[in-house]
Amino acid sequence: MAETMEVEAALEREATNSVICQLADPEGNPLGAALYLPENAGPKELNQVVNKLLSNEERLPYAFYISDEELLVQLGSYLEKNKVSVEKVLTIVYQPQAVFRIRPVTRCSATIAGHTEAVLSVAFSPDGRQLASGSGDTTVRLWDLNTQTPLFTCQGHRNWVLSVAWSPDGKHLVSGSKAGELICWDLQTGKPLGNPLTGHKKWITGISWEPVHLSAPCRRFVSASKDGDARIWDVTTRKCLICLTGHTLAITCVKWGGDGVIYTGSQDCTIKVWETTQGKLIRELKGHGHWVNSLALSTEYVLRSGAFDHTSKQFASPEEMKKVALERYNKMRGNAPERLVSGSDDFTMFLWEPAVSKHPKTRMTGHQQLVNHVYFSPDGQWIASASFDKSVKLWNGTTGKFVAAFRGHVGPVYQISWSADSRLLLSGSKDSTLKVWDIRTKKLKQDLPGHADEVFAVDWSPDGEKVASGGKDRVLKLWMG
């Protein structure tokens, strides 16, 4: 009986020309058993299958990939075009897509003068309502985004402001300067909250806050410095709680991860992983042959935005915020470990899963010059890298495999930022332009000239509504859709 059924099934397959497919998530975990799908099935039919197999109450959109290439046609056409054997099992990776869409920014909506030296850093608050900029003129400026005018000029630093960072609950702003001091600002008045925090002996290279899903309201942040130390501070007591010592050269970047550990990248070519109750070194990630310049976490967007999403919902209490932030974090992470990507002066990048292994998952090569900035897309699906070789490169966020190169800038690319729906990528360059790249088509979507000189800093607001840029020409530009 079983044999005749198999024969009948085989005959049926011949009649309809089925393809044997295995659906898998981005981590490679199979979704159900292999299925026979008709050759005329395309993304629309696959969407129905995945929603059914995952028992989604509300239908969610998915994109489908075969060997890192998006499937946009029926299976039959794909097999024909790529000369794939029908005998083999075809692995199709499904990737959840954002339910909302972010409009590409197309025009400069405001050019705001005020800083008297170069703008070195820009950062939107997690709810996208406020913007801070740090400048070579020693001030931090807070901008009112409704009126597009300066709200406060925050004075207190004695040297260039190299770094500004909002707490993920949106209640605090800290800036770090070339003199090595940190200032917490009163967002109501624009005045410093107490004296500068001192301890670092050289300039500040990065600031990162403890995620709100681990602790609310936000109190602790970590600063990294050219002096080789990272320091954990309490914003309420304004004291240094722990000094993380161990790097033999400057720390260039720091990230406070979703699992509660701190990652530091250094000119000593190592990345160190620290626990935060006593400041013990947990792990060392080695492999780079030159300075580590940039670190990014796969969960960075939800860590930065905490409980806030593109809907701009506000929260009544820190407890509610913590709960929502934890839900967002867990949903984004799924069952996968938190991933870390590092970019270096040795022209390479490494993809790590520090909770799993001290060895890199992949070495990512292709840039012809030092890698200046690396950044995961909000959904963790992609990694983008910016380099002095004038290109922006796109990589698979799970495997680290190279996907595409975006060429168009005629000078080094300094900084990149993603749209909240992971569909668009923004880059700022020494060539004075910003460019918006379309991830689906792998092409330039929008060229945004307007700055008179090098663009040092860019940020896309977490709500997706606007972009800010700043640079050598001292003006802050806001861009809208």
Side-chain angles (χ1 to χ4, degrees):
M1 181 67 193
E3 282 171 335
T4 53
M5 279 177 69
E6 276 178 32
V7 171
E8 276 173 32
L11 288 168
E12 204 170 271
R13 280 204 299 283
E14 274 173 26
T16 56
N17 288 348
S18 313
V19 184
I20 184 163
C21 301
Q22 176 65 65
L23 287 157
D25 72 4
E27 300 292 315
N29 305 313
L31 175 61
L35 322 152
Y36 285 101
L37 293 172
E39 283 195 357
N40 60 1
K44 186 174 159 229
E45 291 74 19
L46 286 167
N47 256 301
Q48 291 168 336
V49 174
V50 170
N51 273 287
K52 196 171 169 191
L53 287 172
L54 291 172
S55 320
N56 292 337
E57 284 173 23
E58 286 179 37
R59 280 201 52 183
L60 295 170
Y62 295 91
F64 298 91
Y65 292 82
I66 303 171
S67 348
D68 274 339
E69 195 185 319
E70 189 172 0
L71 176 73
L72 300 166
V73 292
Q74 294 181 344
L75 288 169
S77 332
Y78 174 85
L79 296 176
E80 215 167 292
K81 185 179 159 230
N82 293 278
K83 313 247 183 309
V84 180
S85 155
V86 191
E87 309 298 309
K88 292 207 182 85
V89 177
L90 192 64
T91 303
I92 303 177
V93 174
Y94 63 93
Q95 297 266 19
Q97 300 296 289
V99 186
F100 58 96
R101 272 201 117 77
I102 299 295
R103 282 201 310 266
V105 286
T106 51
R107 61 193 171 85
C108 179
S109 62
T111 301
I112 324 172
H115 282 298
T116 56
E117 288 294 335
V119 178
L120 304 174
S121 48
V122 293
F124 283 99
S125 60
D127 63 0
R129 292 182 173 197
Q130 296 185 79
L131 173 69
S133 57
S135 163
D137 65 12
T138 78
T139 70
V140 169
R141 282 179 178 249
L142 283 170
W143 309 87
D144 181 334
L145 292 173
N146 293 326
T147 59
Q148 302 191 345
T149 54
L151 196 59
F152 300 115
T153 301
C154 311
Q155 289 170 321
H157 281 296
R158 293 173 298 135
N159 209 322
W160 301 357
V161 181
L162 301 173
S163 171
V164 289
W166 294 87
S167 61
D169 62 2
K171 303 272 190 278
H172 305 281
L173 177 72
V174 170
S175 56
S177 83
K178 197 165 181 235
E181 61 200 13
L182 296 142
I183 295 180
C184 311
W185 301 97
D186 181 334
L187 299 172
Q188 265 46 65
T189 63
K191 300 265 185 293
L193 284 166
N195 294 324
L197 307 178
T198 54
H200 283 299
K201 297 178 257 328
K202 289 184 178 169
W203 66 81
I204 305 296
T205 54
I207 301 166
S208 185
W209 283 85
E210 180 172 23
V212 70
H213 72 259
L214 296 175
S215 164
C218 294
R219 283 185 63 160
R220 297 194 300 167
F221 67 91
V222 60
S223 59
S225 166
K226 169 85 172 133
D227 65 14
D229 291 339
R231 288 172 177 267
I232 300 175
W233 308 84
D234 183 323
V235 74
T236 328
T237 61
R238 286 197 289 286
K239 292 210 167 17
C240 176
L241 303 172
I242 301 170
C243 184
L244 308 174
T245 314
H247 281 294
T248 53
L249 287 169
I251 297 180
T252 55
C253 41
V254 62
K255 297 288 172 197
W256 199 314
D259 296 336
V261 299
I262 287 172
Y263 304 95
T264 51
S266 165
Q267 288 183 355
D268 67 12
C269 308
T270 72
I271 297 155
K272 293 189 193 296
V273 187
W274 313 82
E275 66 82 47
T276 61
T277 47
Q278 298 160 306
K280 284 204 178 87
L281 179 66
I282 312 173
R283 233 173 212 174
E284 254 187 310
L285 309 177
K286 292 180 175 168
H288 280 298
H290 211 305
W291 298 358
V292 178
N293 285 331
S294 180
L295 289 175
L297 287 162
S298 54
T299 50
E300 200 149 326
Y301 174 78
V302 286
L303 296 183
R304 170 196 179 173
S305 50
F308 299 106
D309 61 15
H310 64 284
T311 60
S312 304
K313 179 178 183 284
Q314 296 293 308
F315 298 90
S317 68
E319 292 73 35
E320 187 193 356
M321 210 178 246
K322 184 176 177 180
K323 182 173 159 280
V324 174
L326 183 61
E327 283 165 11
R328 286 187 78 216
Y329 175 75
N330 286 335
K331 188 177 171 201
M332 190 273 141
R333 240 192 74 173
N335 302 322
E338 193 164 51
R339 288 187 296 278
L340 180 76
V341 66
S342 54
S344 164
D345 264 27
D346 66 11
F347 309 176
T348 74
M349 296 150 63
F350 279 108
L351 181 63
W352 314 82
E353 286 177 351
V356 179
S357 167
K358 65 175 186 185
H359 301 293
K361 194 171 170 177
T362 329
R363 182 166 183 253
M364 301 152 71
T365 57
H367 279 299
Q368 317 277 293
Q369 281 288 329
L370 66 90
V371 179
N372 212 18
H373 192 210
V374 290
Y375 216 169
F376 270 93
S377 61
D379 62 8
Q381 188 176 328
W382 311 104
I383 295 165
S385 56
S387 165
F388 269 62
D389 67 10
K390 308 174 189 168
S391 79
V392 174
K393 290 190 190 296
L394 186 71
W395 317 77
N396 180 307
T398 313
T399 62
K401 270 171 71 176
F402 172 75
V403 177
F406 297 131
R407 302 192 187 280
H409 282 299
V410 294
V413 187
Y414 291 140
Q415 212 177 15
I416 43 187
S417 191
W418 285 89
S419 65
D421 63 359
S422 305
R423 288 186 176 101
L424 301 165
L425 177 68
L426 169 76
S427 56
S429 162
K430 183 177 178 164
D431 68 12
S432 84
T433 72
L434 281 81
K435 294 190 193 305
V436 179
W437 309 92
D438 186 317
I439 297 306
R440 177 156 248 176
T441 63
K442 318 277 188 286
K443 289 189 169 63
L444 180 67
K445 182 92 174 170
Q446 206 73 42
D447 196 17
L448 302 171
H451 277 287
D453 212 326
E454 311 189 20
V455 180
F456 293 141
V458 296
D459 194 20
W460 202 315
S461 66
D463 62 9
E465 294 293 310
K466 45 215 166 283
V467 159
S469 60
K472 218 170 177 177
D473 65 4
R474 309 175 196 173
V475 298
L476 191 80
K477 280 186 179 285
L478 289 175
W479 310 79
M480 302 275 178

